[in-house]
Amino acid sequence: MSGAIRPWAALRPATARWRAVGPPVGAAALALVLLTGWTAFGGAGRTRPVEAGPGWVLLPTAGAATATAAFFTVRNPGDVPDELTGVSWEFGGPITMKRHLHQGAAGRWEPVTALPVPGRGELAMSPEDADLMIADPPPLKAGQWVEFTLAFRHSPELRLRAQVLAPADRPRRTDGTAPS
């Protein structure tokens, strides 16, 4: 029977190959199925519109420059980062988005074209970090409310109000820093 053909002997190389290749191919297929399901049910990169509450505007002090700044805290509940790309207010005129650059005890500011709002994070504007500079505001009074429109790269515009506050009345956190 030495010359007889054994059909199962021809299958041995294919079976050995499948044993070597099968587990990685199976694992990749399972991973693809799980990732597709996770994405289909909203687990990957959910976008949600940014949110913000009322802000505040620093009242220019008598005898100082008339320029002032507005501050808001913008929260992003989604997974996808967003950006604040533009600002306007009820009085018109240019508003410059800016970020402070600290250099030891000194620093300077520079205009930016967008302010990032990280996914599941916030853009907390403050006099020490990022703010909205208003170069030539009309006369403002402490306690006055003004309206702003914030534009974003991915989220719809937000129409918000901000209260004009004297420097001594600006909001304080319990740690002594000023929030927006």
Side-chain angles (χ1 to χ4, degrees):
M1 182 137 224
S2 63
I5 300 175
R6 295 183 227 155
W8 63 88
L11 295 177
R12 279 194 193 144
T15 305
R17 237 180 278 127
W18 178 246
R19 284 185 190 155
V21 176
V25 169
L30 178 62
L32 183 60
V33 167
L34 291 174
L35 285 172
T36 301
W38 183 57
T39 303
F41 286 103
R46 279 182 296 210
T47 59
R48 292 184 48 199
V50 296
E51 307 165 345
W56 60 282
V57 176
L58 187 61
L59 179 68
T61 55
T66 60
T68 190
F71 307 91
F72 295 92
T73 297
V74 180
R75 290 173 189 80
N76 185 349
D79 297 323
V80 178
D82 208 338
E83 291 180 315
L84 175 64
T85 58
V87 182
S88 60
W89 73 326
E90 66 181 85
F91 300 110
I95 296 179
T96 304
M97 296 182 293
K98 65 180 183 135
R99 184 159 303 276
H100 295 267
L101 302 173
H102 300 281
Q103 300 162 336
R108 62 183 175 84
W109 66 268
E110 74 176 15
V112 295
T113 58
L115 290 170
V117 186
R120 297 196 179 271
E122 68 181 20
L123 165 62
M125 297 179 204
S126 73
E128 294 79 25
D129 186 23
D131 63 53
L132 308 172
M133 187 179 77
I134 304 165
D136 191 24
L140 299 170
K141 297 180 203 141
Q144 175 182 358
W145 286 91
V146 294
E147 299 216 8
F148 287 81
T149 301
L150 280 59
F152 299 90
R153 184 161 319 282
H154 304 294
S155 296
E157 288 184 344
L158 288 179
R159 294 188 191 285
L160 303 167
R161 293 171 28 119
Q163 187 175 29
V164 178
L165 300 175
D169 297 332
R170 80 180 218 205
R172 300 270 175 204
R173 288 188 176 145
T174 56
D175 64 1
T177 61
S180 60

